[in-house]
Amino acid sequence: MDVEYSFLSTVYNNSRTIKGTLESIVNAINKAEVASEIIIIDNYLTDGTFEILKTLQKELRNNRYIIRFMIIRKKCSRGLGRQLALQL
């Protein structure tokens, strides 16, 4: 199954909102039944966001529409993070 949609994001200390945001995206993907990927660039967070992302990544491992869920940790600006996500 080829990826039809890519969801790219940079995150920095988003522990209060990241789970709800990703659940909303995944629900839309499942409803639309489209093969998708999620790529997140993590700027070495300090508030637990990375741990939340890793847990969600494990939970979505068997989702038939999430072809790839990638989390990259890189100390960078938001713009560089977005550029990296686009390259991936």
Side-chain angles (χ1 to χ4, degrees), residues 8-69:
L8 314 173
S9 180
T10 56
V11 291
Y12 186 81
N13 291 341
N14 297 102
S15 65
R16 291 184 296 176
T17 59
I18 194 67
K19 185 175 181 181
T21 299
L22 286 175
E23 286 174 347
S24 178
I25 290 169
V26 170
N27 287 338
I29 290 168
N30 290 335
K31 185 176 180 180
E33 298 180 353
V34 293
S36 301
E37 67 182 351
I38 299 171
I39 300 173
I40 298 175
I41 307 301
D42 168 305
N43 193 2
Y44 283 92
L45 311 167
T46 60
D47 72 338
T49 302
F50 181 72
E51 291 75 16
I52 294 167
L53 290 170
K54 294 301 281 184
T55 299
L56 289 169
Q57 185 181 44
K58 287 178 187 175
E59 290 174 5
L60 295 171
R61 188 170 287 146
N62 295 319
N63 183 305
R64 71 184 277 194
Y65 300 111
I66 306 296
I67 305 305
R68 182 179 312 123
F69 189 126

